[in-house]
Amino acid sequence: MELWKIITLILGATGFWKLLEILVRLRTDKKVKLAEAINLHAQAENQIVANWIQWSQMLEKRIKESEEHTEALQKVIENQRKRIQDLEEKVVHMEKQNKELINELKRIKQ
Protein backbone atom coordinates (compact mmCIF):
# COMPACT_ATOMS: atom_id res chain seq x y z
CA MET A 1 0.00 0.00 0.00
CA GLU A 2 2.87 2.29 0.71
CA LEU A 3 4.15 1.71 -2.77
CA TRP A 4 0.84 2.94 -4.18
CA LYS A 5 1.00 6.02 -2.01
CA ILE A 6 4.54 6.76 -3.18
CA ILE A 7 3.54 6.20 -6.81
CA THR A 8 0.47 8.41 -6.49
CA LEU A 9 2.53 11.02 -4.69
CA ILE A 10 5.15 10.97 -7.45
CA LEU A 11 2.50 11.07 -10.19
CA GLY A 12 0.63 13.82 -8.37
CA ALA A 13 3.79 15.89 -7.94
CA THR A 14 4.74 15.33 -11.58
CA GLY A 15 1.24 16.32 -12.69
CA PHE A 16 1.36 19.40 -10.47
CA TRP A 17 4.68 20.49 -12.01
CA LYS A 18 3.36 19.79 -15.52
CA LEU A 19 0.29 21.89 -14.76
CA LEU A 20 2.46 24.66 -13.39
CA GLU A 21 4.70 24.44 -16.46
CA ILE A 22 1.68 24.66 -18.78
CA LEU A 23 0.34 27.72 -16.93
CA VAL A 24 3.74 29.44 -17.10
CA ARG A 25 4.06 28.60 -20.81
CA LEU A 26 0.56 29.96 -21.54
CA ARG A 27 1.33 33.17 -19.69
CA THR A 28 4.66 33.57 -21.52
CA ASP A 29 3.04 32.86 -24.89
CA LYS A 30 0.40 35.46 -24.15
CA LYS A 31 3.09 38.04 -23.32
CA VAL A 32 5.05 37.15 -26.47
CA LYS A 33 1.94 37.54 -28.64
CA LEU A 34 1.16 40.88 -27.02
CA ALA A 35 4.74 42.06 -27.56
CA GLU A 36 4.59 40.97 -31.22
CA ALA A 37 1.32 42.84 -31.69
CA ILE A 38 2.80 45.97 -30.13
CA ASN A 39 5.89 45.61 -32.33
CA LEU A 40 3.78 45.24 -35.48
CA HIS A 41 1.72 48.26 -34.47
CA ALA A 42 4.89 50.32 -33.94
CA GLN A 43 6.26 49.23 -37.32
CA ALA A 44 3.00 50.18 -39.01
CA GLU A 45 3.05 53.59 -37.35
CA ASN A 46 6.67 54.11 -38.44
CA GLN A 47 5.75 53.21 -42.00
CA ILE A 48 2.79 55.60 -41.93
CA VAL A 49 4.99 58.41 -40.66
CA ALA A 50 7.66 57.63 -43.29
CA ASN A 51 5.01 57.65 -46.04
CA TRP A 52 3.59 60.90 -44.72
CA ILE A 53 7.04 62.52 -44.72
CA GLN A 54 7.74 61.27 -48.24
CA TRP A 55 4.37 62.55 -49.47
CA SER A 56 4.97 65.89 -47.76
CA GLN A 57 8.40 66.28 -49.36
CA MET A 58 7.00 65.42 -52.79
CA LEU A 59 4.20 67.94 -52.31
CA GLU A 60 6.69 70.64 -51.29
CA LYS A 61 8.76 69.87 -54.39
CA ARG A 62 5.70 70.15 -56.63
CA ILE A 63 4.68 73.42 -55.00
CA LYS A 64 8.17 74.83 -55.53
CA GLU A 65 8.14 73.75 -59.19
CA SER A 66 4.70 75.25 -59.61
CA GLU A 67 5.81 78.54 -58.06
CA GLU A 68 8.85 78.67 -60.36
CA HIS A 69 6.64 77.92 -63.36
CA THR A 70 4.19 80.61 -62.27
CA GLU A 71 6.99 83.16 -61.93
CA ALA A 72 8.26 82.32 -65.42
CA LEU A 73 4.74 82.67 -66.84
CA GLN A 74 4.29 86.00 -65.09
CA LYS A 75 7.52 87.26 -66.68
CA VAL A 76 6.32 86.11 -70.11
CA ILE A 77 2.95 87.80 -69.56
CA GLU A 78 4.65 91.03 -68.44
CA ASN A 79 6.90 91.00 -71.53
CA GLN A 80 3.86 90.39 -73.75
CA ARG A 81 2.03 93.32 -72.11
CA LYS A 82 4.99 95.60 -72.79
CA ARG A 83 5.18 94.38 -76.39
CA ILE A 84 1.43 94.93 -76.86
CA GLN A 85 1.73 98.42 -75.41
CA ASP A 86 4.64 99.21 -77.73
CA LEU A 87 2.68 97.87 -80.72
CA GLU A 88 -0.40 99.90 -79.75
CA GLU A 89 1.74 103.04 -79.59
CA LYS A 90 3.22 102.17 -82.97
CA VAL A 91 -0.29 101.65 -84.42
CA VAL A 92 -1.36 105.08 -83.09
CA HIS A 93 1.75 106.65 -84.60
CA MET A 94 1.17 104.90 -87.95
CA GLU A 95 -2.48 106.00 -87.98
CA LYS A 96 -1.35 109.60 -87.44
CA GLN A 97 1.16 109.26 -90.24
CA ASN A 98 -1.51 107.71 -92.45
CA LYS A 99 -3.90 110.61 -91.76
CA GLU A 100 -1.13 113.11 -92.51
CA LEU A 101 -0.33 111.36 -95.78
CA ILE A 102 -4.01 111.24 -96.74
CA ASN A 103 -4.32 114.96 -96.01
CA GLU A 104 -1.19 115.68 -98.04
CA LEU A 105 -2.57 113.63 -100.95
CA LYS A 106 -5.82 115.60 -100.78
CA ARG A 107 -3.88 118.87 -100.92
CA ILE A 108 -1.82 117.66 -103.85
CA LYS A 109 -4.96 116.63 -105.74
CA GLN A 110 -6.51 120.07 -105.31
Side-chain angles (χ1 to χ4, degrees):
M1 193 72 164
E2 293 236 359
L3 185 61
W4 285 109
K5 284 184 182 180
I6 294 173
I7 291 174
T8 54
L9 184 63
I10 291 173
L11 290 176
T14 307
F16 175 75
W17 286 112
K18 277 292 184 186
L19 179 64
L20 190 61
E21 181 184 341
I22 290 171
L23 291 175
V24 169
R25 187 178 298 138
L26 286 176
R27 188 170 180 196
T28 334
D29 289 347
K30 191 175 182 181
K31 284 183 180 181
V32 168
K33 286 181 183 179
L34 180 62
E36 287 175 350
I38 290 171
N39 187 24
L40 287 175
H41 185 69
Q43 287 176 354
E45 284 182 358
N46 284 339
Q47 187 64 38
I48 289 170
V49 169
N51 289 346
W52 184 261
I53 289 171
Q54 184 180 10
W55 177 81
S56 166
Q57 289 171 344
M58 182 61 73
L59 187 61
E60 287 176 4
K61 180 182 174 186
R62 285 184 179 176
I63 288 172
K64 185 177 179 183
E65 289 173 356
S66 176
E67 287 173 348
E68 291 172 356
H69 185 68
T70 302
E71 289 175 8
L73 287 177
Q74 285 177 342
K75 288 179 183 178
V76 167
I77 290 171
E78 188 61 36
N79 288 337
Q80 287 177 346
R81 283 183 184 157
K82 287 179 183 177
R83 181 75 176 136
I84 289 170
Q85 190 177 14
D86 290 343
L87 290 174
E88 285 175 345
E89 290 174 2
K90 204 172 200 179
V91 166
V92 169
H93 177 70
M94 295 301 258
E95 285 176 347
K96 282 183 183 179
Q97 264 188 338
N98 192 20
K99 283 184 183 179
E100 290 175 2
L101 288 173
I102 289 174
N103 286 337
E104 192 174 320
L105 268 176
K106 284 183 182 178
R107 268 184 292 167
I108 292 176
K109 282 186 181 179
Q110 288 179 354

